[in-house]
Each structure stands twice: as structure tokens, then as C-alpha cells.
Amino acid sequence: MSDTVLKQQLAERFREVNGDHPMTEADDAYVSAQFVCLEELCAVHSRDGDAVRRLMLGQRLPLPGYLRSDGAEMVPADLFALADVAGGVDQLEAWFTAHWADPLTGKAEWNAYLSGQYVCLHAVTPATIQRKDCLTTRIGASVNEPDAGSAQWAEQLHALIDELDALEPAFTAYDRLRFDGPTSRDTCITALRARFPRP
């Protein structure tokens, strides 16, 4: 199968997952600063780009996080890191899902990982995924706590927000289109900092 056909198939799969939304110049600039072209990453790691595309299409490695407007497949710089830690692509799924006690949750997180949509984290690992889930849940619940608004409560809230802020990138307008609404940064960081200013 030719390089062009594989790229086309990957682009089609990407749009099936994310929808068909335009990338603006600002989106392209953001993505170029945060991610790397698949071809460039493969060159650095001495990997064959077509072989990696086949792994993506075969649901063994994550899809690209973005398709830039010029068609470049943009991936995180650590795309191969988890497979290396797991002992190879063949062991990756079992290693990844084992981080969740509930097999159904582990499988759901694996599918989310394969979608390439974990662009909400600087580093995508089972630990950071779990920590983000914990933080967003705690931040969301905090506004309903009995002592909401107190100085101690505000201090604890901002500690959680700051930790989430360190885990998450800025996002771009394209993300709000494909996720059909505000991002976790919008709701759990920006909005709550505005609603409950730091004491």
C-alpha cells in the first residue's frame, strides 16, 4: 500500500473520530508549537512512517492529535514512549489497561487513548490520565461543598486548579469544535479562577 493511500486512510479515520472542522492559521500555529510532524518524529526515532500509520489504523498506536491544514499528521513528541515502557507495541494494550482496577474502565481509557484525543495533557500516561480525572472531579464537586467561599476552601481549590493547570496545555479553537463545547481548561481552570479569585 502506497504512502499516499495510507495517509489518505489515516486522514479519513481522523475525521471519522473528530469530525471535519477547518484549521485556522492560529490553530496551525498552536499545533506546530505543541506537536511534531509524524514524519519528523519517525526520522528521529529511525521508524518507518508507513509502518507507524498501519499501527495507528490497526488500533495499536494512537491516531494523530491533529491534522494541520496542510495535511501534516501532528503527533506528541513522546508518541512512542509508552510502547517503549511497555516492552513494545504488542504489549502496550495489556500494560496500559492494567493501570485500572476495573477492566471495563481500562478498555474505555485505552479506546480514548487510541483516538488521539488526549491532547488535553502535556504527557499522556495512565498516571496523568487518572490524575486529571481525579482533579476535574474534585474541582467540579468543590463548588458544592458546605464551606465553599471560605479562605481555607479557596486555598484548597486553587491548589487543585494549579495542579490541573500544570498538566494541561492551552488548547486551541479547533478543540472546542471537535469536542463540541468548552474544554476542561475552560470549565475547571479559567472559569473557576474568574468566579473564585485567589484570596
Side-chain angles (χ1 to χ4, degrees):
M1 190 178 296
S2 73
D3 171 75
T4 302
V5 171
L6 281 170
K7 285 184 176 181
Q8 183 179 347
Q9 288 183 348
L10 193 59
E12 289 172 356
R13 178 67 182 134
F14 178 89
R15 291 188 179 97
E16 286 175 10
V17 171
N18 295 283
D20 193 2
H21 307 292
M23 289 281 284
T24 66
E25 286 186 20
D27 293 330
D28 282 344
Y30 169 83
V31 171
S32 295
Q34 297 284 336
F35 293 78
V36 296
C37 293
L38 177 60
E39 292 290 352
E40 294 174 8
L41 187 67
C42 287
V44 169
H45 290 273
S46 301
R47 294 182 186 245
D48 178 69
D50 285 349
V52 172
R53 290 184 185 94
R54 289 188 189 95
L55 290 171
M56 291 175 169
L57 290 167
Q59 297 188 302
R60 299 176 68 204
L61 279 178
L63 293 174
Y66 300 88
L67 286 184
R68 215 167 48 193
S69 61
D70 62 0
E73 303 139 327
M74 304 301 290
V75 297
D78 62 355
L79 174 67
F80 305 122
L82 290 192
D84 291 343
V85 171
V89 173
D90 291 341
Q91 287 76 42
L92 180 56
E93 180 177 0
W95 175 87
F96 186 98
T97 57
H99 286 80
W100 283 268
D102 175 23
L104 291 177
T105 302
K107 183 65 174 177
E109 291 293 351
W110 170 249
N111 289 334
Y113 170 68
L114 289 178
S115 75
Q117 291 187 336
Y118 266 123
V119 296
C120 54
L121 291 166
H122 287 297
V124 182
T125 68
T128 57
I129 291 168
Q130 291 168 340
R131 189 57 185 160
K132 182 202 167 187
D133 286 346
C134 176
L135 288 168
T136 54
T137 298
R138 289 179 63 188
I139 290 168
S142 67
V143 297
N144 297 316
E145 291 175 359
D147 62 341
S150 71
Q152 183 178 359
W153 171 88
E155 184 178 339
Q156 292 171 345
L157 172 66
H158 282 279
L160 296 173
I161 292 173
D162 291 347
E163 185 179 350
L164 182 62
D165 190 8
L167 289 178
E168 292 197 342
F171 293 97
T172 189
Y174 172 84
D175 293 315
R176 294 170 182 91
L177 294 176
R178 69 162 153 189
F179 297 135
D180 195 27
T183 65
S184 52
R185 170 169 288 281
D186 296 332
T187 57
C188 292
I189 299 174
T190 306
L192 287 188
R193 280 178 172 165
R195 183 179 172 189
F196 302 104
R198 192 183 299 272

